[in-house]
Amino acid sequence: MSDQKKSGMDRRDFMKGVLASASAVSLGALTHGDAEAASDVPKKWAKEADIVILGFGGAGACAAIEAHDAGAKVLIIEKQAQKTHYPNTRMSGGIFHSPQLDGDKAALKAYATAMFSGDNLPWKLEGEQPDVVDGLAQAWAEYAPHNIDFLNKLDPEFKGVPMSRFSGAAFPNFPGAKECKYRVFGSSYTDRASFDIPTKDLPKSQKMNGEAFFTVLREAVEKRKIPVLYETSARELIVGKKGEIIGAIAETKDGKRIACKARRAVIITTGGYEFNKEMRRAFLEGPGVEGWAFYGTTANTGDGIEMAMKVGAQLAKVGKAASRIITAVPIRYNGLKLGLITDSVGGPNSIVVDNYGKRYAAETLITTDPSRYFFYKEAIKFDITNLIYPRCPSWMIFDETFRSKVTVTSLGISTAGFGMVPWTKDNMDAINRGWILKGDSIEDLAGKIAAHAENRKLMKPDILTKTVVSYNEACKKNKDEEFGRKPTSLGPIEKPPYYALPLYAGGPNTKGGIAANARREVLDWRNNIIPRLFTAGEISSALKFVYQGGGNLTECIVFGRIAGKNAAALKPWS
């Protein structure tokens, strides 16, 4: 036997040992084969349906609608209460993509390929998901141009409002960007879409943003009389004798465990792990707990990821997130502070500095699409000399001019819009609570920052003062020679008092999770299909390389529909 062959056998034997050992850990089996005997088939089923969907957000709703319309009986299991049912879809800005129908489909597929994986970018070392990207991109090209029509057919009153801020392809140099005729819409039942008006308690005719988008889907589910088990948490998947998924165990609000039979398939659409402390530590870069914050639903605790792992599902780019830097407050859920959408960062009369008081980037990159969805990588940069994360947190410094004119967060969507975090238009409540630090001078403000527990006494008054002076000089010249910040965003920090707001890596949601193919069938670690298990939404986001604003809602429609359609096409196992 040659040394090369012997070496190959040794490696295979070693990997077999690793896989065998790993399958016994609490995180669950690494391969589907190891998990085939994981569940006992219940003798009695409390609920039965053709398709059981875990999670009632945008992806779950679209999957339910498509499966129902294909003739399947559908059951949705949702952990939140009906009165306070706030999935990320509902809390979002309601932005989605719907390229023009007369655009070049090959170009659209090429553009999607670049976004999803980057396989067609010649400068890229390797693709993010090369085994499945061709099918994913093809599905995007086929379905995405119909998104606006899909929503309008569900509800003719719904209005897709063309977005000026996020119009067209966010990556104009990607293959196909010019020819695919990309379009981005906001969601509304009025003639405009606004981020400033809370709409959850308004009549349907005045709803906009994520409220309008999710209202279309929720009402479509209700019209089809698809049952939703609210306040019921999915706990585990039930595996049949051949390794197929035949149902799920759920737990009601009073602690009763019920077995739900899925005659054709289970679809996991439970979202990400934004509020799971252990998963954040395991998967996110940098300080995963105190260095991050999210402003979406607190119901996203990684339940679906854990369930899928236990039956052998492969993980895919779990650390991916649609994130920038945002503020957060000491109101906690599962031990994790709540974030707020902070699109005011980078506005005139403000800068962002690290813990020492130094600027480190053009602040407009933080809120400009598409750089805003990758800026978190700047925030969690590690100083390899001093062994510290100098930008965790960063600090937004602004003056009275900014405070009096700009509301730091949106009052219409996200955690403030849904009453999870109190905030006032003039920002004064946050100042009075100590969430925004206040100083009579820049030196005084630096002292307040240094006294903040998460600054660790790193802030230097002389450095911050020098930074503000340098920035103000750039404002006079109308040119930021140091970082190239947009001239229209330049405004001096000169009117006391002065303020500081801590900023953390974070945003609406995580994007990584369980691996799936273009049919949205969940894959195991050998890239084999786990029979009768499908997925869609941010738990299995297709956007593994880059992200364009509105991408998550877009894939809720595209891949939610595909998952529902393919699941409904299966023959019942009994």
Side-chain angles (χ1 to χ4, degrees):
M1 181 182 295
S2 70
D3 291 341
Q4 186 177 7
K5 289 184 178 180
K6 185 176 185 297
S7 176
M9 290 183 65
D10 290 343
R11 285 194 297 270
R12 287 193 295 271
D13 291 341
F14 171 74
M15 286 307 299
K16 287 180 181 179
V18 171
L19 291 173
S21 299
S23 66
V25 302
S26 61
L27 286 177
L30 284 177
T31 67
H32 178 49
D34 295 329
E36 287 184 359
S39 303
D40 293 326
V41 178
K43 295 180 180 179
K44 185 177 180 180
W45 299 93
K47 300 286 183 179
E48 293 190 27
D50 293 316
I51 309 296
V52 174
I53 296 175
L54 311 182
F56 186 24
C62 290
I65 292 165
E66 196 73 22
H68 173 276
D69 291 358
K73 182 179 179 182
V74 180
L75 173 67
I76 301 175
I77 297 174
E78 169 55 47
K79 70 190 295 185
Q80 297 186 71
Q82 186 171 7
K83 289 184 178 180
T84 53
H85 178 217
Y86 303 141
N88 268 348
T89 301
R90 186 178 177 188
M91 294 178 69
S92 75
I95 301 171
F96 66 97
H97 311 170
S98 188
Q100 291 182 208
L101 285 168
D102 62 351
D104 187 315
K105 295 299 185 292
L108 181 54
K109 180 180 178 180
Y111 184 70
T113 298
M115 286 198 300
F116 294 169
S117 189
D119 292 56
N120 55 350
L121 301 176
W123 50 263
K124 202 168 186 297
L125 181 62
E126 64 179 65
E128 304 294 316
Q129 44 185 339
D131 295 334
V132 297
V133 69
D134 187 73
L136 292 172
Q138 182 63 42
W140 194 267
E142 291 177 3
Y143 277 77
H146 298 279
N147 284 345
I148 188 71
D149 292 336
F150 172 75
L151 294 169
N152 284 139
K153 286 179 181 178
L154 293 179
D155 189 343
E157 294 181 61
F158 174 81
K159 294 180 174 66
V161 182
M163 299 291 289
S164 57
R165 183 181 176 188
F166 306 112
S167 61
F171 305 95
N173 295 324
F174 277 4
K178 296 178 182 178
E179 300 82 11
C180 68
K181 296 185 179 181
Y182 222 73
R183 295 186 305 176
V184 180
F185 292 90
S187 300
S188 184
Y189 279 103
T190 69
D191 292 328
R192 64 187 183 88
S194 169
F195 287 91
D196 302 319
I197 304 173
T199 59
K200 66 186 181 71
D201 298 319
L202 294 178
K204 179 178 174 180
S205 61
Q206 298 178 44
K207 290 188 184 299
M208 54 194 73
N209 306 324
E211 266 293 310
F213 187 93
F214 191 65
T215 295
V216 174
L217 303 179
R218 177 182 54 77
E219 290 188 348
V221 168
E222 291 172 350
K223 288 176 183 177
R224 286 161 174 75
K225 301 187 185 305
I226 298 172
V228 180
L229 300 183
Y230 287 103
E231 296 183 89
T232 303
S233 301
R235 295 301 185 198
E236 66 179 88
L237 299 169
I238 301 173
V239 184
K241 295 179 180 179
K242 297 180 180 179
E244 76 278 30
I245 305 303
I246 60 173
I249 298 294
E251 186 176 315
T252 63
K253 64 178 180 179
D254 56 4
K256 181 181 179 181
R257 288 172 67 87
I258 59 173
C260 302
K261 182 178 181 179
R263 289 186 289 266
R264 299 187 191 181
V266 172
I267 304 176
I268 303 179
T269 58
T270 52
Y273 58 91
E274 297 90 272
F275 285 89
N276 183 310
K277 185 184 293 185
E278 288 72 24
M279 286 189 182
R280 275 171 52 166
R281 282 199 180 114
F283 301 133
L284 292 179
E285 299 176 64
V289 174
E290 296 303 328
W292 283 77
F294 289 93
Y295 55 70
T297 179
T298 57
N300 281 8
T301 53
D303 306 2
I305 296 174
E306 182 177 358
M307 285 185 283
M309 288 176 69
K310 287 181 179 178
V311 299
Q314 178 187 159
L315 298 181
K317 300 291 181 182
V318 195
K320 289 287 185 178
S323 296
R324 62 211 73 147
I325 53 174
I326 63 169
T327 192
V329 297
I331 298 175
R332 294 182 177 253
Y333 181 83
N334 277 359
L336 303 167
K337 48 184 171 264
L338 291 178
L340 296 104
I341 190 169
T342 322
D343 281 348
S344 57
V345 177
N349 315 109
S350 73
I351 56 174
V352 172
V353 300
D354 64 14
N355 275 305
Y356 299 103
K358 297 179 181 179
R359 290 178 68 209
Y360 58 88
E363 289 84 352
T364 45
L365 292 173
I366 299 170
T367 53
T368 301
D369 193 21
S371 59
R372 66 185 186 137
Y373 294 107
F374 319 116
F375 195 87
Y376 72 92
K377 292 182 179 293
E378 293 290 337
I380 54 161
K381 188 173 182 179
F382 186 59
D383 181 339
I384 62 174
T385 301
N386 298 306
L387 307 183
I388 191 173
Y389 291 96
R391 303 167 185 174
C392 288
S394 293
W395 299 87
M396 181 179 173
I397 308 298
F398 56 97
D399 68 0
E400 179 64 14
T401 300
F402 182 98
R403 196 282 309 165
S404 63
K405 291 182 178 181
V406 181
T407 304
V408 166
T409 188
S410 169
L411 299 179
I413 61 174
S414 183
T415 48
F418 283 82
M420 297 177 184
V421 176
W423 205 275
T424 56
K425 188 174 182 179
D426 61 3
N427 306 301
M428 288 306 300
D429 183 63
I431 294 169
N432 294 333
R433 292 174 184 268
W435 297 347
I436 297 177
L437 305 181
K438 178 182 177 181
D440 294 328
S441 65
I442 295 297
E443 293 83 356
D444 182 32
L445 183 65
K448 300 285 180 64
I449 296 172
H452 192 285
E454 294 186 358
N455 179 255
R456 290 98 70 195
K457 299 181 180 180
L458 297 175
M459 179 60 66
K460 308 298 181 184
D462 58 330
I463 293 178
L464 182 60
T465 300
K466 184 178 179 180
T467 297
V468 172
V469 169
S470 177
Y471 169 74
N472 286 346
E473 290 176 353
C475 292
K476 291 179 182 178
K477 297 177 183 178
N478 199 36
K479 185 177 183 180
D480 179 18
E481 295 178 346
E482 190 173 9
F483 296 106
R485 177 169 163 170
K486 294 178 181 179
T488 54
S489 74
L490 294 174
I493 300 172
E494 58 185 6
K495 184 178 180 179
Y498 303 98
Y499 304 94
L501 186 69
L503 300 174
Y504 307 85
N509 56 271
T510 57
K511 296 195 294 96
I514 55 180
N517 60 22
R519 289 174 49 82
R520 305 320 286 158
E521 297 165 306
V522 176
L523 304 175
D524 69 13
W525 285 97
R526 298 188 183 104
N527 287 322
N528 295 319
I529 294 166
I530 298 179
R532 301 185 184 275
L533 184 62
F534 294 79
T535 182
E538 69 183 66
I539 189 176
S540 52
S541 175
L543 292 148
K544 291 293 194 293
F545 178 42
V546 295
Y547 182 83
Q548 174 167 346
N552 282 145
L553 294 193
T554 308
E555 65 178 333
C556 281
I557 303 175
V558 171
F559 294 117
R561 293 182 65 192
I562 289 173
K565 179 180 179 180
N566 290 326
L570 296 178
K571 294 182 180 179
W573 58 269
S574 66

